[in-house]
Amino acid sequence: MSARPDPLFRLRALALALPRTVEKQAWGAPTFRVDDRIFAMADTPEASTAPARSGPAGLSVWLAAPEGAQEMLIEAAPDGTSEWSPDWDEVAFNLARAHKLIAARRARSRR
């Protein structure tokens, strides 16, 4: 039986594969930035400032998202499901969407 990859390692690999992305520690947690603006932040048990984070090995992820995305996620899991078994294709999609959203905002602000 093979060991499952560390979820933070997988998240980091997906995020850093996006153009112009850098990782920077902030508030004791890894953040992923494009053009020095955060598009994703991981919250690990070691860095967490909030109680009872859940997910694989206690990992939770904050992502920039378009208007209405949070409401859709809440409606999809109205019971506040605490266990998260990620679909890594979906994680990659959402990371790319967050990256694109923040990069576009940055480009608009430079005009």
Side-chain angles (χ1 to χ4, degrees):
M1 177 183 260
S2 63
R4 292 176 60 181
D6 171 37
L8 181 56
F9 179 82
R10 288 186 78 174
L11 178 71
R12 180 177 282 126
L14 290 170
L16 293 175
L18 297 167
R20 301 186 323 273
T21 297
V22 296
E23 180 178 348
K24 183 176 180 181
Q25 290 290 314
W27 309 286
T31 63
F32 302 96
R33 300 164 186 245
V34 58
D35 300 328
D36 206 35
R37 298 204 43 193
I38 297 171
F39 70 90
M41 180 173 165
D43 191 10
T44 63
E46 300 79 28
S48 184
T49 57
R53 294 286 191 207
S54 44
L59 178 69
S60 60
V61 181
W62 172 91
L63 297 169
E67 189 79 28
Q70 182 177 9
E71 290 80 9
M72 282 189 338
L73 290 171
I74 291 169
E75 288 175 14
D79 63 348
T81 304
S82 62
E83 290 298 315
W84 177 56
S85 181
D87 171 338
W88 287 101
D89 290 335
E90 186 176 347
V91 173
F93 170 82
N94 285 307
L95 277 167
R97 181 175 67 175
H99 178 276
K100 183 177 179 181
L101 181 69
I102 296 302
R105 285 182 188 167
R106 183 67 169 183
R108 280 193 305 271
S109 71
R110 289 182 176 168
R111 291 182 189 164

